[in-house]
């Protein structure tokens, strides 16, 4: 319906859609004499206000989507993890505790951030550590929180050709994110160069007071009893910053393989 303006019983123009006046009188005390005079001016009716609010909401939504897309592009998250969400999480008896902790971390992220509190997801290969960390990342990105998720292998590959000053700039860029999530601690090569960079990345989060979430296939007992100073100083930083959460259960890849085997057996052998 096209909006028109018609004169109402009060002598003012009204909107044909919502019925509200689109003009009113105001006092002009300093115009034409000491007592001033009243002047008729335009005003906005309800449907015009609603149109403006809808337009501004659409602009805000588009800006938020651009911000989320930019944050995602900063991340080196694997394509397989970009769809990780709590709504898609396969909760089992083995991972129920980790799932609950991850959800509460997102729900209380402002407090986690202010306290610089991170998480260390540890356990056997394929138990859902990376998916759980990615679900945290994606849920927070949807809330317009700045998150970068990557892996130590990818970080070290990118940093391998840098000079020392470039390393500092790269780490500063990583620390612009409120939360840094790094997958596969321990999968990097155990060279002096690699371990120095891993320490620099973790220590920089500690010094800036910003949280980090890590995943590892290593056992906590091995990390705590490590006598190699190159590793132990890394682990000391991690245990100061991260709450350890064990991921139990059978590997999801083994579960899927067993399921496919059973399906093929029924199909081929009857």
């Amino acid at each position: 319906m096209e909006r028109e303006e018609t004169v109402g019983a009060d002598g003012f123009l009204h909107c044909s859609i919502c019925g509200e006046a689109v003009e009113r009188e105001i006092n002009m005390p300093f115009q034409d004499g000491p007592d001033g005079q009243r002047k008729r001016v335009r005003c906005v009716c309800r449907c015009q206000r609603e149109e403006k609010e809808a337009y501004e909401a659409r602009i805000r939504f588009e800006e938020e989507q651009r911000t989320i897309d930019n944050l995602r592009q900063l991340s080196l998250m694997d394509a397989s993890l970009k769809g990780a969400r709590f709504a898609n999480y396969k909760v089992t008896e083995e991972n129920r505790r980790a799932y609950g902790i991850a959800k509460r971390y997102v729900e209380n992220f402002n407090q986690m951030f202010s306290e610089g509190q991170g998480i260390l997801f540890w356990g056997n290969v394929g138990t859902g550590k990376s998916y759980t960390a990615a679900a945290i990342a994606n849920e927070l990105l949807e809330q317009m929180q700045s998150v970068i998720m990557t892996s130590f292998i990818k970080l070290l590959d990118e940093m391998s050709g840098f000079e020392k000053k470039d390393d500092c700039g790269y780490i500063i860029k990583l620390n612009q994110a409120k939360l840094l999530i790094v997958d596969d601690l321990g999968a990097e090569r155990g060279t002096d160069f690699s371990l120095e960079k891993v320490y620099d990345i973790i220590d920089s989060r500690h010094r800036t007071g910003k949280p980090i979430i890590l995943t590892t296939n290593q056992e906590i007992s091995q990390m705590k009893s490590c006598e190699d100073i190159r590793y132990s100083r890394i682990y000391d930083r991690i245990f100061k910053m991260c709450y350890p959460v064990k991921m139990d259960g059978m590997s999801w890849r083994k579960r899927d393989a067993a399921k496919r085997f059973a399906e093929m057996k029924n199909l081929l052998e009857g």
Side-chain angles (χ1 to χ4, degrees), residues 91-135:
V91 182
T92 65
E93 285 305 312
E94 293 92 346
N95 66 23
R96 189 178 303 279
R97 173 174 173 268
Y99 169 75
I101 289 173
K103 282 197 72 175
R104 287 188 288 275
Y105 187 87
V106 170
E107 292 166 359
N108 298 282
F109 180 69
N110 288 336
Q111 180 181 353
M112 298 295 101
F113 174 74
S114 66
E115 297 178 2
Q117 180 63 59
I119 297 177
L120 172 66
F121 290 109
W122 66 281
N124 293 329
V125 175
T127 49
K129 300 181 297 295
S130 299
Y131 189 93
T132 304

Side-chain angles (χ1 to χ4, degrees), residues 7 25 36 76 111 136 148 159 172 197 220:
V7 179
E25 284 188 347
L76 299 173
Q111 180 181 353
I136 291 174
I148 293 176
M159 297 172 71
I172 288 172
K197 300 308 174 190
I220 288 289

Side-chain angles (χ1 to χ4, degrees), residues 77-89:
M77 188 188 302
D78 289 341
S80 61
L81 298 176
K82 290 186 181 295
R85 295 289 191 285
F86 291 139
N88 304 328
Y89 204 98

Side-chain angles (χ1 to χ4, degrees), residues 206-225:
H206 180 264
R207 285 186 283 104
T208 57
K210 292 183 176 180
I212 187 169
I213 290 179
L214 304 167
T215 74
T216 184
N217 298 332
Q218 300 178 83
E219 292 284 333
I220 288 289
S221 58
Q222 294 174 340
M223 297 172 71
K224 288 184 175 180
S225 63

Side-chain angles (χ1 to χ4, degrees), residues 19-125:
E20 284 192 358
V22 294
E23 59 180 3
R24 61 191 177 93
E25 284 188 347
I26 61 173
N27 289 321
M28 304 291 288
F30 300 108
Q31 184 171 330
D32 298 333
D35 296 329
Q37 66 176 18
R38 294 181 63 80
K39 184 175 181 180
R40 185 169 294 202
V41 296
R42 299 284 300 184
C43 60
V44 178
C45 67
R46 185 178 69 249
C47 61
Q48 288 176 311
R49 292 194 299 271
E50 290 173 351
E51 287 175 4
K52 184 180 182 223
E53 290 169 0
Y55 171 78
E56 291 174 347
R58 187 173 72 252
I59 295 298
R60 285 195 302 271
F61 175 78
E62 291 173 354
E63 289 176 350
E64 289 172 357
Q65 292 303 304
R66 282 194 294 270
T67 300
I68 290 173
D69 290 341
N70 290 336
L71 290 172
R72 290 189 194 283
Q73 288 172 13
L74 279 175
S75 181
L76 299 173
M77 188 188 302
D78 289 341
S80 61
L81 298 176
K82 290 186 181 295
R85 295 289 191 285
F86 291 139
N88 304 328
Y89 204 98
K90 296 179 181 178
V91 182
T92 65
E93 285 305 312
E94 293 92 346
N95 66 23
R96 189 178 303 279
R97 173 174 173 268
Y99 169 75
I101 289 173
K103 282 197 72 175
R104 287 188 288 275
Y105 187 87
V106 170
E107 292 166 359
N108 298 282
F109 180 69
N110 288 336
Q111 180 181 353
M112 298 295 101
F113 174 74
S114 66
E115 297 178 2
Q117 180 63 59
I119 297 177
L120 172 66
F121 290 109
W122 66 281
N124 293 329
V125 175

Side-chain angles (χ1 to χ4, degrees), residues 250-259:
M250 180 188 294
S251 164
W252 284 101
R253 287 185 282 276
K254 289 182 179 179
R255 290 175 193 261
D256 292 342
K259 181 180 178 181

